[in-house]
Amino acid sequence: MTIVGDVEIPTLSEDAIRAAAREVVQLSVPHLAPGGKTLAYILPQSARIGHFGLETQIISTLFEDEYDRILIFTDKMSWPGTNPWIRQCASSKFRFIEVDNFDVLLLGTKDAGFHRIGSLDCLFASPRAIFIRFYRHILAGGAVKYLELPEEAESIARETLSRRGIDPDAPFVFFHNRTLSYVPTMTYHAYRTAVVETYQPAIRRLIEAGYRVIRIGEPGLDTMGFPPDAYVNIPDWEDVDRAVDLFVLARNAFGLAQNSGPIWVAGAFGRPVLRTNAPFEHMNMPYNDDLTLFKHYHVAGSAEPMAYRQILDAGIPAILFSEKIAEAGYEVRDNTPDELLAATEELLTRMAGTWQRDVEADSAFRALGADYEARIAADPAMQASNFAFYGYAHPFGSLARVTLETQPGFLD
């Protein structure tokens, strides 16, 4: 087994790789652009909305202007959790090809680069490699292409919301929170979950500010007692078309969410997000200039949270599994209700146009990240595993001010 991104991936034999590559070519032939260039890309984690949305946006940004047709190979759209509407959020150049050959999907975890056969270019690249390519494109000043909500999905969503007494044109905030109940087998992601009730004061503040809060994600989290017209639980509705989720992610005023898949889809639509309970991970680069509130990292058993320099010196951003973090002697703790409320207040000032960036804090935060990236970029093991990039080393996004208010020495 090898690790790609945050997932354990079986190893393919050379014969299996060649057979899978041949199948990709054979399946591509009927879809080649007549007289033009075609790109084939494998997107193996289409059941995870963050990957499906972000990777589609990335391929559009990097390659749409270069190719006449783009073929995206995915798992079956019938897999639980898959949102098939994402296929229609890209341009008409895109064709999505569903496959049930696991070896073909595994090719989407291999970094073998481009292979040209006539007018067909097959790009075999892991998600991590393609994320880095996208971020470096942005850092070089390249333009970003955003997803667009298809008219049919918008119409379905508007009708569904209106039928339930919700004005789709009234300002709303999307909310997403992930608990271990969503996928109980994914305990290695425990450090990325949070308790939904801690968001209660922040949600109440948003409602007081005139926003409806619409929650997407896992069912069964309607535990906070808000009026159903003010706090809307889409996951608890029966037989809801997944078009509603995409409408919520594409048409919100902004998002209040933890660091999980939906923030990337909202970002792919160009929407701002308050990223809360965020871990320090290499592939996070808030290129839409989002505000981020990070989780607290502690030496196991310690009451005092670690300073940022300590976190980086310990190499924690490269540790992606809960049990590995524990084995290294560290704990990750959630944001408190008061912190979530303070960060929400800060985002409201941004939306009102009265917020001013803390240039000194942002510069200090990025300088520490840049030092860390310089170290990992010189590490052959980090290079080989596509870990030699650190998104928070670069000039996008801001650190929520409550971090420095509650931990004044965080950036020392």
Side-chain angles (χ1 to χ4, degrees):
M1 303 283 284
T2 57
I3 296 175
V4 175
D6 56 3
V7 178
E8 293 186 343
I9 301 295
T11 301
L12 281 178
S13 69
E14 290 299 321
D15 287 344
I17 289 174
R18 284 192 289 269
R22 284 195 296 270
E23 182 165 343
V24 169
V25 174
Q26 291 167 0
L27 291 172
S28 297
V29 169
H31 303 280
L32 297 178
K37 293 173 60 180
T38 299
L39 174 70
Y41 175 75
I42 301 167
L43 200 161
Q45 298 184 71
S46 51
R48 299 175 67 179
I49 191 170
H51 277 275
F52 200 4
L54 178 58
E55 289 185 55
T56 298
Q57 180 204 14
I58 288 174
I59 296 301
S60 173
T61 295
L62 296 178
F63 302 113
E64 186 177 322
D65 293 339
E66 183 179 350
Y67 289 91
D68 301 285
R69 183 161 296 168
I70 296 175
L71 310 179
I72 306 290
F73 289 81
T74 72
D75 209 337
K76 294 292 186 180
M77 292 292 105
S78 57
W79 266 95
T82 305
N83 193 320
W85 284 105
I86 289 176
R87 296 175 298 177
Q88 298 184 39
C89 294
S91 81
S92 59
K93 289 186 176 183
F94 280 70
R95 302 285 188 277
F96 290 84
I97 301 172
E98 299 176 48
V99 296
D100 54 11
N101 183 331
F102 188 58
D103 287 355
V104 168
L105 294 173
L106 282 180
L107 282 183
T109 69
K110 309 301 178 185
D111 291 320
F114 284 94
H115 293 262
R116 176 164 293 175
I117 303 172
S119 63
L120 173 67
D121 285 352
C122 296
L123 172 58
F124 302 124
S126 66
R128 184 170 290 276
I130 207 72
F131 292 169
I132 292 174
R133 184 170 183 149
F134 175 61
Y135 293 147
R136 294 205 184 282
H137 166 84
I138 296 171
L139 291 170
V144 175
K145 292 184 185 294
Y146 290 98
L147 300 182
E148 296 184 7
L149 189 67
E151 290 183 6
E152 183 181 2
E154 177 138 10
S155 177
I156 289 171
R158 285 179 169 276
E159 190 278 329
T160 301
L161 293 169
S162 297
R163 179 162 32 90
R164 292 176 177 267
I166 298 167
D167 180 359
D169 292 312
F172 68 88
V173 173
F174 95 81
F175 172 52
H176 176 259
N177 179 77
R178 178 176 174 179
T179 77
L180 273 178
S181 298
Y182 185 56
V183 186
T185 59
M186 295 173 68
T187 55
Y188 57 85
H189 271 171
Y191 75 101
R192 296 177 61 188
T193 64
V195 177
V196 68
E197 286 82 7
T198 58
Y199 285 89
Q200 189 171 29
I203 292 170
R204 181 179 295 109
R205 178 68 184 95
L206 291 172
I207 294 171
E208 291 171 352
Y211 292 100
R212 176 177 282 118
V213 177
I214 302 182
R215 189 179 70 80
I216 61 173
E218 65 185 273
L221 298 185
D222 187 8
T223 60
M224 292 186 279
F226 293 113
D229 61 335
Y231 181 67
V232 180
N233 270 282
I234 300 292
D236 291 337
W237 293 355
E238 294 182 0
D239 301 321
V240 178
D241 195 294
R242 297 301 300 278
V244 177
D245 283 350
L246 282 195
F247 177 88
V248 171
L249 290 169
R251 296 289 184 255
N252 59 80
F254 56 90
L256 168 65
Q258 79 176 90
N259 198 92
S260 193
I263 69 167
W264 300 107
V265 182
F269 282 113
R271 307 309 306 148
V273 181
L274 170 57
R275 301 172 175 219
T276 62
N277 280 302
F280 289 103
E281 293 181 349
H282 287 204
M283 287 299 100
N284 284 348
M285 193 178 89
Y287 60 95
N288 287 326
D289 205 29
D290 291 338
L291 190 66
T292 302
L293 177 63
F294 291 97
K295 285 200 173 194
H296 301 286
Y297 289 74
H298 294 249
V299 174
S302 172
E304 292 298 319
M306 299 168 70
Y308 189 34
R309 188 186 301 275
Q310 291 176 285
I311 293 168
L312 297 177
D313 286 348
I316 291 175
I319 307 176
L320 299 180
F321 297 94
S322 296
E323 60 270 24
K324 297 297 183 183
I325 294 173
E327 287 172 10
Y330 304 106
E331 298 175 1
V332 185
R333 301 179 190 174
D334 291 356
N335 299 139
T336 68
D338 286 345
E339 289 171 334
L340 293 166
L341 175 59
T344 300
E345 292 281 9
E346 183 176 357
L347 188 65
L348 286 172
T349 65
R350 287 186 69 165
M351 300 305 297
T354 58
W355 179 83
Q356 293 196 5
R357 186 184 301 275
D358 187 336
V359 176
E360 183 177 352
D362 284 352
S363 296
F365 178 71
R366 287 174 190 139
L368 289 168
D371 287 344
Y372 173 70
E373 186 181 67
R375 294 198 301 274
I376 61 176
D379 185 333
M382 290 289 191
Q383 295 169 9
S385 58
N386 282 321
F387 270 78
F389 177 89
Y390 186 57
Y392 295 122
H394 303 286
F396 293 95
S398 289
L399 185 68
R401 289 175 183 167
V402 67
T403 300
L404 302 182
E405 293 168 0
T406 58
Q407 192 178 350
F410 182 70
L411 296 177
D412 290 348

